[in-house]
Each structure stands twice: as C-alpha cells, then as structure tokens.
Amino acid sequence: MRERGASVRPAAPWRAALQNPTLTMYSTRWCGDCRRVKSFLDKFAIPFVEVDIEQDPEAAAFVQSVNDGRRSVPTLVLGGRATSLSGFTREKFDAFLNEHDLAPQR
C-alpha cells in the first residue's frame, strides 16, 4: 500500500524483516531534519515510506495527534509507536534505531 505523496526506499537483504511492518516517515520538503534522517536511513539501508504532511491533510492531523498538537517532523512510526526526531541529533537517531532493534550490525 502506497500513501499519497509517499516514496519507497529499497531494502537491504539483511533488513528484509523490516519490510513488514513498514517504517513510515512523516516529513515536509523544506525540513532540514527530514533530509538528515533520510540520509541516515539510506546510509543504513533501512527501507521506509515517506509521507509529505503538506500534501496529505490526514497525515498532518495524525502527526499533530501523536506530537501534542505540533506538526513535528520528521516523525517516524514503526510498530505502532511514533517518535519525533525534530531537533535532529545523531543521539536521537541512534536511540530510535536501538529502541526498534535496527542498529547496524557490526
């Protein structure tokens, strides 16, 4: 299922289990934090669906509902849990990866 305004990133073979459920990233085109998160997701070959909340009013309402009324992007949703990475730091990103057992294998 593709959401309006969504783009799908390819999966690395060792990330195949992540394809279902799907990691969804709610973003906007102008968001610098969103670009940084996409860059890291691509770097670690983590597949995701991106939804632009400026193109999808229902997505914008959802983001506000999980972020105390704020249109906080990027918001990542996986396994029914939403996490805002607004004010992006590598530490926030690593905490998200660890929380969802997505940390790169070394």
Side-chain angles (χ1 to χ4, degrees):
M1 172 172 84
R2 282 180 73 123
E3 297 184 69
R4 187 174 151 217
S7 61
V8 178
R9 306 290 175 149
W14 62 276
R15 297 266 191 222
L18 182 61
Q19 290 179 342
N20 189 16
T22 300
L23 170 63
T24 302
M25 182 175 119
Y26 294 89
S27 66
T28 62
R29 288 187 309 253
W30 52 265
C31 170
D33 288 340
C34 298
R35 285 190 296 273
R36 285 188 284 282
V37 169
K38 284 190 277 191
S39 175
F40 276 102
L41 291 171
D42 286 341
K43 177 181 178 179
F44 296 126
I46 298 172
F48 65 97
V49 173
E50 183 178 7
V51 180
D52 185 334
I53 67 169
E54 292 184 319
Q55 302 299 315
D56 187 334
E58 289 179 20
F62 170 76
V63 166
Q64 286 180 287
S65 76
V66 298
N67 289 302
D68 299 320
R70 296 183 312 275
R71 288 177 48 137
S72 182
V73 290
T75 293
L76 285 79
V77 179
L78 182 62
R81 292 183 287 178
T83 303
S84 172
L85 293 182
S86 181
F88 177 82
T89 64
R90 180 61 194 267
E91 290 78 21
K92 281 185 179 181
F93 183 75
D94 288 345
F96 174 82
L97 294 180
N98 289 328
E99 176 184 346
H100 294 282
D101 198 28
L102 297 175
Q105 298 173 347
R106 298 187 194 272

